[in-house]
Amino acid sequence: MKPVLDVNQLTMDFGGLRALDHIDLQVHPGEIVALIGPNGAGKTTFFNCITGIYAPTKGDMFLTRPQGEPKRLNGLKPNRVTERGMARTFQNIRLFQNMTVLENVMIGRHCRLHTGIPGAIFRPPASRREEKEVVADSYAMLEKIGLTRYVNEFAKNLPYGAQRRLEIARALATEPFLLLLDEPAAGMNAQETKALDELILRLRSDMKVSILLIEHDMKLVMSLSDRIYVVDYGKKIAEGNPEEIKSNPAVIKAYLGEDIDA
Amino acid sequence: MITLQEIKKSFLVSLWFMFLTFPIMVIKVNTIEQTIEWRWWWMAAVGLGAFVLSFFWRIAIARKEAGKKKAEVSGEEKIALIPRLMSNPRFYIPGLVATVALVVIFPFVFSMYQTNILITALIYVVVGLGLNIVVGLAGLLDLGYVAFYAVGAYSYALLNYHFGVTFWMALPIGALLAFLFGIMLGFPVLRLRGDYLAIVTLGFGEIIRLVLENWNAFSFGPSGIANIPKPGLFGLKLSLQQSSIFIYFVMIGLALMTIFVVRRLQDSRIGRAWIALREDEVACQAMGIDKTRTKLSAFAMGATWAGMGGVVFAAKTTFINPTSFTIWESVIILCVVVLGGMGSILGVIIGALVLILLPEYLRAFSEYRMLVFGALLVMMMVFRPGGIVSGVRRIYKFEGLQNKVDS
Amino acid sequence: MDYFLELFLGGLTRGSIYALIALGYTMVYGIIELINFAHGEIYMIGAFTGLIVISVLTMLGWNSIAIIVLAALIAMLYSAAYGFTIEKIAYKPLRGSQRLSALISAIGMSLFLQNYVLLAQTSNFLPYPNLVPTWDFLQPYEHIVRSTEMVIYIATALVMVLLTYLIKFTRMGKAMRAVAQDRDMSMLVGVDVNRVISFTFIIGSSIAALGGVLVASHIGQVNFYVGFIVGIKAFVAAVLGGIGSMPGAVLGSLVLGWTESFFTGYISSDYEDVFAFLFLVLILIFRPAGLLGRSDTDKV
């Protein structure tokens, strides 16, 4: 089967600084892939490039819907990328703070709905039906992620862990087949992290999404991932399954510094 | 508990303001007649005023800080008095009946003068609700909004002058033209960041006014266009008073239509996208919302209402010229939205009524109108950024599902 | 050729005037990222204060050079005081809230100050005496450049030099640059951020006041509304040069001054202001970072 995400030779320059240097990366259907590396290695830049927030300097990116044809992502705006079936969360939570939890998820549904301005004003039966469905679907999504008790709360009033999960719910509402998670466990305690671990596995089995995640919590990464990519200073320094990565000298060096031999 | 320290502080503030306002307020020069007038009592007034106000200022700031902390701790929002009353049918229904009755009998009971003032206020309700879409919902600060108002007014005046187009024809045409202008102007400017957008829209607004002022062949320049007909009613001849009453009811109808439409928009897929855009542009795009289209739709929808308001304005005053469409007109409309409460329909209505009616009825005070507006904008931003009616959030029609949560 | 020179010098005058105001915009924006909409009003208040001082001293029969110097100094002092106070009332309580709120507050302040002067003084244009002495050596060139204009050039150049010194070599200048870079970080390393912001307002406002007195002397009249249009144009200049950058503000001002001067001189004077606004719109659309500005992408 073709990989759902296929990134070739992705390069990103900021002025004179090369933030990403010829990165290759694939995510296959049903896989959980982790992208790890020290702070400032270019992981979030990688996400921003493939989701269309930045325009990469060089390289190709293809997204392939299961049983579909590969579609090139280069030059697409972020909203188009999302429409094609790849959704993301943000490292520093970016919820719509003054909207309710339900509304946040409903925004995720936006690109799958059709009501325009005339529809909103005159409310023909199709729009009414759509509006009913979006409420029901969004609520169902909250049930899956376990956030129903906050349904009418403002997003800004949620506890931290719940905000992270709401971001995931909102991204899932766009019906992705590939989900990008940017440090989903950041700031979570051990118990919350464990719940997140289970949630991610459940998403893969129940919702048939492939997952690419950036994460610093190595325990989580090692237990979840099928494969791991390691980047440092914008370059890919290793790739493989968790066992291989654990014993890879280049990775150990990147994480622990030059002094490892001394 | 006014401590000595507080008094000392206020005393210093008052000295400072006496110093600050000394040349401008105390010395009045007339360079033509070479005379100088010294107005020492103004200095005393400033001193006293500053002394008293500084107490209030400090108390208000302290309360604001405390409120912020409290909100952080409890995580709950106070629901303002008015919406609370509104949601209670015991107040809501009699209130509604009384309002409707007052609205219907108003022009027959009160003078034509009063009716005309109310018409003006209603025009501001309509354009305020339009601007509310742009500023309050979508979070785009548009300082050139009056340009669309001008488009509406001039399209009626000119179409009538050249082709004899009637008011009822001009109303949709004016709205459509303003809508098209909104898209035309919106397209290039909407990729700009917040405060740049404000300045560019201000620039566009001024360009349109200056063009109207200078392009004599098109717009008759500063002398404007006179004898614009008032709206007709099936070709009946209406007296001046009758036609005022007629415009009043036209305006009531238009305002109701605006409220209806804006409410429905707010409560739809489009309205949610506007609010999300205001909250976080990047996240909004990442969730599949087309930023440009959404912004453009807000901008153009807002413009449409300004266009309609402009048509009615031209019909009501029967004379227009570019001085009615300066940047300060945009600022007044902005005041209506900000004072009432950005994003709240009821707030905008209250804002328009307060800001337009109050200076009209407090005649002595009307000279100070713009001064007070300026101070009001600052005070609102400092102490109550949410406006008079804040914290109004629609609760989603959610009862069926809500029960499921509890069970 | 003479006409060209006239337009060139006329543009230089305009440009210098815009520069004196644009510097204040750019400094404030550099530090707190606020478009200080009331800055044009500060300029207007400077001009008015100057006029009041001039009138009083003229009645007392002072020497005209002493009067103009004293008037400029007092105007600078007062405008600085206004700038300081405005920041404390209208902007400081809004630090950390939305940028839109601060901008609306600034617009309110601008409206308030205009009407304050309108009510306390007059809505009419007041003639402004020109007390700048006529220099003999400029006599032959009178039709091209007047001594007031010469004083404007010199004052602008002097302000530029002093500001550069201030920013580059003094402690306060360093603190200002630090706050502009990263406010929170500078607070942590012990910079008194409130003082730096106040200082910025004071400097920017006093420069604007100097401009106000000189320009009003040059044009020969003043009213409560003069600050608005000049303020907007100076803002255009600051954006053109790249807002936040001081050399940019001067460069932008000169470019705007010259283009306006040549446009009105060779093409049409009816649409002078339309042209300035069109210029602004085009710059912001095609080069939002300005001529010398740095572009910053939204951090994700």
Side-chain angles (χ1 to χ4, degrees), chain B residues 148 151-153 155-156 159 167 169-180 303-308 310-311:
Chain B
F148 305 121
V151 167
S155 49
Y156 177 38
L159 285 174
F167 173 82
M169 291 276 286
L171 200 59
I173 296 176
L176 185 71
L177 282 176
F179 177 83
L180 293 177
T304 309
W305 265 275
M308 278 196 265
V311 173

Side-chain angles (χ1 to χ4, degrees), chain B residues 203-221:
Chain B
F204 265 131
E206 285 293 275
I207 288 174
I208 288 191
R209 184 182 65 82
L210 290 165
V211 166
L212 288 174
E213 203 149 278
N214 286 298
W215 193 2
N216 288 318
F218 171 71
S219 64
F220 303 97

